[in-house]
Amino acid sequence: MNHRERVLAVLNKEVPDRVPMDLCNSANFINDPAYFALKKYFNIKGDIEQFRKNFTANYYDERVLEALDIDFRHVGLKPPKGYQNKTYADGTFSDEWGVVYRLLGNERAIVKYPLKGADESDLDKYPWLDPLASGRTEGVAERARDLYQNTDYAVAAHAAHNYGFFDTAWILRGFDDFLVDLMINKPFARHLLGKIFDLFLGLHEVYLNAVGPYIHTITFCEDYGMQNAPFISPALYKEMLQPFHKELFAFIKKKAPQVKIIFHSCGAVYPLIPLFIEAGIDILNPIQHTANGMDPLKIKKEFGSEVIFHGGVDIQHALFGTVEDVQKEVKQVIDELGQNGGYIVAPANVIQGETPPENIVSLYRTAAEYGTYGQK
């Protein structure tokens, strides 16, 4: 099988020749120091432009993907034409949503939640971003079409926005305040989520108008889990968040019926998985098996007939260990999530900057060699 045939087999619930491999999708980029180390490891010469700025991972380099024999290539929505983050004299900067950040080494921290202290009447007056601003799809349709028509890679659309409903709401409002809103200030929470929904709908309309015919997957990222439990109960998710997921995912599938939705949520989200499936997801990422209750074998057994799994390779411990640790981890995850297909190999989150390049290479070479299904 070629790269695309391999991915399509999994997306169609068929068994491929080997497990497909992904890297630099929205939830598993490479932090900049690890990217430069990997580039040096492969002796890749020449710099490329950053595809974004002020994140932990700012480079998308297809030369690295080629060296690792990754089965996907990716497209992404752009900021408006000429847009630059606002920067301030104290070194902080704000994004399109009006959130103010400060860089702390290779990480960024929120220093201002713009809707903290706001009431419901403030939501209609807030200077929301314009999803229809010109430039967001400049060159994007052409790239997606070229990948679809002139390569054998599966074409994956990055997330249309950095964060999902829950994350965007608390980043605007403040984490504690939004949790309180969900419990005792529900009209405000619904109004805020409705505003976010309208913007997400507009961004996906613009995005899918450009790339819809050419892509095989699209990613949606937000985090509902801590290391030991979900942030909110299944009942609260079902009441307050799931209706927005259902409507948005139905819209995506109507615009691009062939597209599979990759849904990312870190952490201990086992109790929420049935509700994510009910909302309309097709592929669950990342199966963070170091979190409480996220046993891959159990999850595969219970949900493997309903969803495909993407990710799973531990970045917290295994990728910081020895090459042998990585090999053991990859083989175990393939054994647990890859039974009879239904699994795409990828790191369980963004590859951290201190990760040795030898370990990243071992991840993919082990997957390619071990993850075969005995087909020709």
Side-chain angles (χ1 to χ4, degrees):
M1 291 181 168
N2 66 28
H3 299 95
R4 186 177 301 169
E5 291 169 345
R6 184 174 299 126
V7 172
L8 289 177
V10 171
L11 298 185
N12 292 326
K13 305 290 181 69
E14 299 166 357
V15 179
D17 59 340
R18 69 155 169 83
V19 289
M21 304 186 301
D22 197 9
L23 179 65
C24 291
N25 210 316
S26 292
N28 45 59
F29 284 112
I30 311 172
N31 273 359
D32 291 355
Y35 159 70
F36 286 114
L38 191 59
K39 181 183 168 193
K40 182 178 180 181
Y41 177 93
F42 284 125
N43 197 30
I44 295 173
K45 305 296 185 182
D47 296 328
I48 60 169
E49 289 187 16
Q50 297 176 231
F51 80 97
R52 62 184 182 185
K53 295 182 179 180
N54 296 323
F55 281 80
T56 61
N58 298 292
Y59 292 89
Y60 178 86
D61 194 334
E62 293 195 5
R63 299 170 299 176
V64 168
L65 302 186
E66 183 177 357
L68 294 170
D69 198 24
I70 301 302
D71 293 292
F72 291 78
R73 294 296 182 269
H74 311 82
V75 297
L77 204 60
K78 297 182 177 181
K81 190 171 184 178
Y83 174 81
Q84 296 288 334
N85 288 338
K86 292 180 181 178
T87 57
Y88 305 100
D90 62 358
T92 60
F93 59 93
S94 61
D95 63 9
E96 267 198 281
W97 294 87
V99 181
V100 181
Y101 299 88
R102 182 188 303 279
L103 286 177
L104 300 175
N106 194 46
E107 301 294 331
R108 64 181 196 167
I110 301 171
V111 297
K112 180 182 178 182
Y113 304 94
L115 290 177
K116 191 174 186 65
D119 60 33
E120 193 172 352
S121 66
D122 295 320
L123 296 179
D124 293 327
K125 298 179 286 186
Y126 187 72
W128 298 102
L129 62 82
D130 179 7
L132 306 181
S134 64
R136 293 193 188 276
T137 59
E138 187 174 324
V140 176
E142 292 80 2
R143 170 173 165 77
R145 186 187 311 115
D146 179 64
L147 288 170
Y148 183 81
Q149 294 179 347
N150 300 316
T151 79
D152 73 350
Y153 298 113
V155 186
H158 286 142
H161 34 79
N162 293 326
Y163 310 106
F165 292 106
F166 179 71
D167 294 349
T168 301
W170 77 253
I171 288 169
L172 288 166
R173 181 70 164 158
F175 189 76
D176 292 349
D177 288 1
F178 186 63
L179 289 181
V180 171
D181 293 334
L182 286 173
M183 295 297 295
I184 64 173
N185 194 7
K186 293 186 178 185
F188 178 93
R190 287 195 180 95
H191 196 160
L192 175 56
L193 290 167
K195 288 290 187 182
I196 295 167
F197 171 81
D198 289 341
L199 299 178
F200 285 2
L201 199 68
L203 289 168
H204 280 91
E205 172 86 26
V206 168
Y207 200 10
L208 292 171
N209 282 346
V211 305
Y214 312 116
I215 60 174
H216 300 100
T217 65
I218 188 168
T219 302
F220 189 95
C221 296
E222 57 187 322
D223 288 331
Y224 283 95
M226 300 175 281
Q227 195 73 17
N228 62 341
F231 286 119
I232 60 175
S233 70
L236 190 59
Y237 167 76
K238 188 176 181 69
E239 176 191 4
M240 298 297 292
L241 279 305
Q242 192 198 52
F244 294 103
H245 280 146
K246 280 186 173 181
E247 191 168 351
L248 181 62
F249 296 163
F251 173 82
I252 291 170
K253 292 182 177 184
K254 184 175 181 180
K255 290 282 291 183
Q258 85 287 355
V259 170
K260 305 298 184 183
I261 296 170
I262 300 175
F263 184 85
H264 165 86
S265 178
C266 293
V269 295
Y270 172 79
L272 298 174
I273 292 175
L275 297 175
F276 294 155
I277 295 171
E278 187 178 286
I281 73 166
D282 302 292
I283 304 168
L284 182 63
N285 167 278
I287 318 301
Q288 185 185 339
H289 65 76
T290 57
N292 185 47
M294 296 298 290
D295 176 17
L297 272 176
K298 181 178 181 180
I299 290 171
K300 175 76 172 185
K301 181 178 180 180
E302 292 188 22
F303 307 113
S305 64
E306 299 177 87
V307 288
I308 296 153
F309 302 109
H310 179 290
V313 178
D314 171 44
I315 68 160
Q316 294 173 297
H317 306 287
L319 281 186
F320 283 110
T322 65
V323 166
E324 290 74 23
D325 291 332
V326 176
Q327 292 170 344
K328 180 180 178 182
E329 167 76 4
V330 172
K331 290 177 181 179
Q332 182 172 336
V333 173
I334 289 173
D335 286 343
E336 293 174 339
L337 292 177
Q339 299 173 33
N340 302 312
Y343 174 53
I344 298 166
V345 171
N349 208 303
V350 176
I351 292 177
Q352 298 303 293
E354 302 83 1
T355 307
E358 295 84 359
N359 289 3
I360 302 171
V361 173
S362 178
L363 188 170
Y364 289 102
R365 290 187 177 164
T366 302
E369 294 168 4
Y370 184 78
T372 59
Y373 290 97
Q375 298 181 4
K376 303 295 183 182

